[in-house]
Amino acid sequence: MIPLKDYNPTTRRAWITLGLIAINVFVYFLVQPHGQGNVDPQSEAITEAKFTYAHAAVPCEVTHGHPLTVAEINATLNTNDENACKTSLPASREAFPHKNVYLAVLYSMFLHGSLLHIGGNMLFLWIFGNNIEDRMGWIGYPIFYVIAGVVAAATQFAVTPASSVPIIGASGAIAGVMGAYLVLFPRAQILGLIFIIPVRIQAFWFLGFWFVLQFLTSPSSGVAWVAHVGGFIFGALVAFPLRHHLRPNRTRPTWFYGAAA
């Protein structure tokens, strides 16, 4: 299901949300290399796989506190061994010994695997993020966004602690934004595609349906859906006790809120 528009006007331009989108797009097109390949730390060629393992969060690395070895990474890439750190492999050196495996959790929030991946994430971020920024403000919103991303990643790590597959994408943080949106704007109208059919539906049903769909994600899809669930629940839990403070005063005239998203 894909949101196309929400009918939920804001009171100001969502500069933080626009900035987050700009950073993600910049990183994807101008920083990340594209093209598969094995990880050879001695090679000067920077392949997509090498860049990802050098910068992205990997559950096994975070839970063990150190980077994967060259053998573990190549086993993951070449034999589809997604739990290579649990497999008995020939001894080898760490592929990226200077990597900070904890800072990588933050870096991962700005990395994406494909045009479809970043395009979908940025669409969701714009439609739901501008309203949450409007209510949380320019300081609270980015703090909330980053913490939601970290909590989402931690949820994925807790469920797949031995995984040697990098976790990348802004979707965990965006799921937190969506959880907050559900609490603050449950009756907001969303125009979206549900099974390619255009539907105008309340946010409560749209986001609730999206949340349920996460549990139906195919295990072979490569989607870190547990992170989505963790981020969404975190966002809802943060927004719920603050809902009376964060919800807008709709007694103000419509023009006060500016244009819709």
Side-chain angles (χ1 to χ4, degrees):
M1 53 194 305
I2 304 172
L4 302 176
K5 177 183 177 65
D6 72 339
Y7 298 88
N8 191 7
T10 58
T11 63
R12 54 190 168 187
R13 179 67 66 183
W15 292 113
I16 301 298
T17 299
L18 288 170
L20 288 170
I21 292 172
I23 292 171
N24 277 279
V25 171
F26 175 84
V27 170
Y28 182 78
F29 286 103
L30 298 178
V31 178
Q32 286 184 249
H34 300 286
Q36 297 297 326
N38 291 346
V39 176
D40 181 1
Q42 294 183 334
S43 172
E44 294 184 359
I46 302 179
T47 64
E48 181 177 5
K50 182 176 179 180
F51 180 91
T52 300
Y53 272 101
H55 298 91
V58 180
C60 181
E61 292 185 336
V62 175
T63 55
H64 288 81
H66 59 78
L68 293 174
T69 66
V70 174
E72 289 168 338
I73 295 176
N74 284 330
T76 304
L77 295 173
N78 299 331
T79 66
N80 294 320
D81 184 356
E82 296 185 357
N83 297 293
C85 62
K86 293 177 59 177
T87 305
S88 297
L89 296 170
S92 65
R93 65 189 181 283
E94 291 179 349
F96 304 101
H98 301 296
K99 176 182 179 180
N100 187 315
V101 299
Y102 303 111
L103 275 179
V105 176
L106 178 62
Y107 301 156
S108 281
M109 294 167 57
F110 298 94
L111 304 177
H112 290 84
S114 67
L115 283 172
L116 183 62
H117 189 198
I118 188 172
N121 277 354
M122 295 305 100
L123 175 63
F124 274 77
L125 177 56
W126 172 246
I127 289 178
F128 299 109
N130 63 340
N131 291 102
I132 301 305
E133 176 182 345
D134 192 45
R135 303 319 308 163
M136 291 188 174
W138 292 341
I139 297 176
Y141 173 65
I143 294 174
F144 166 78
Y145 180 89
V146 170
I147 296 176
V150 172
V151 170
T155 307
Q156 185 70 40
F157 300 158
V159 175
T160 59
S163 174
S164 51
V165 178
I167 304 297
I168 62 173
S171 54
I174 297 169
V177 170
M178 294 164 65
Y181 193 103
L182 174 66
V183 171
L184 299 180
F185 307 104
R187 295 184 178 86
Q189 293 290 310
I190 306 294
L191 176 64
L193 294 177
I194 300 180
F195 301 121
I196 73 172
I197 300 174
V199 176
R200 184 165 172 168
I201 187 174
Q202 286 187 343
F204 176 85
W205 297 108
F206 185 93
L207 294 173
F209 188 40
W210 176 91
F211 181 75
V212 171
L213 284 179
Q214 303 313 299
F215 294 91
L216 305 179
T217 303
S218 171
S220 61
S221 67
V223 175
W225 66 271
V226 177
H228 299 171
V229 172
F232 191 93
I233 292 175
F234 170 81
L237 289 177
V238 169
F240 186 77
L242 301 174
R243 64 193 184 282
H244 298 302
H245 173 70
L246 293 177
R247 280 176 178 162
N249 178 9
R250 291 306 190 191
T251 60
R252 290 169 176 165
T254 303
W255 56 261
F256 180 87
Y257 293 94

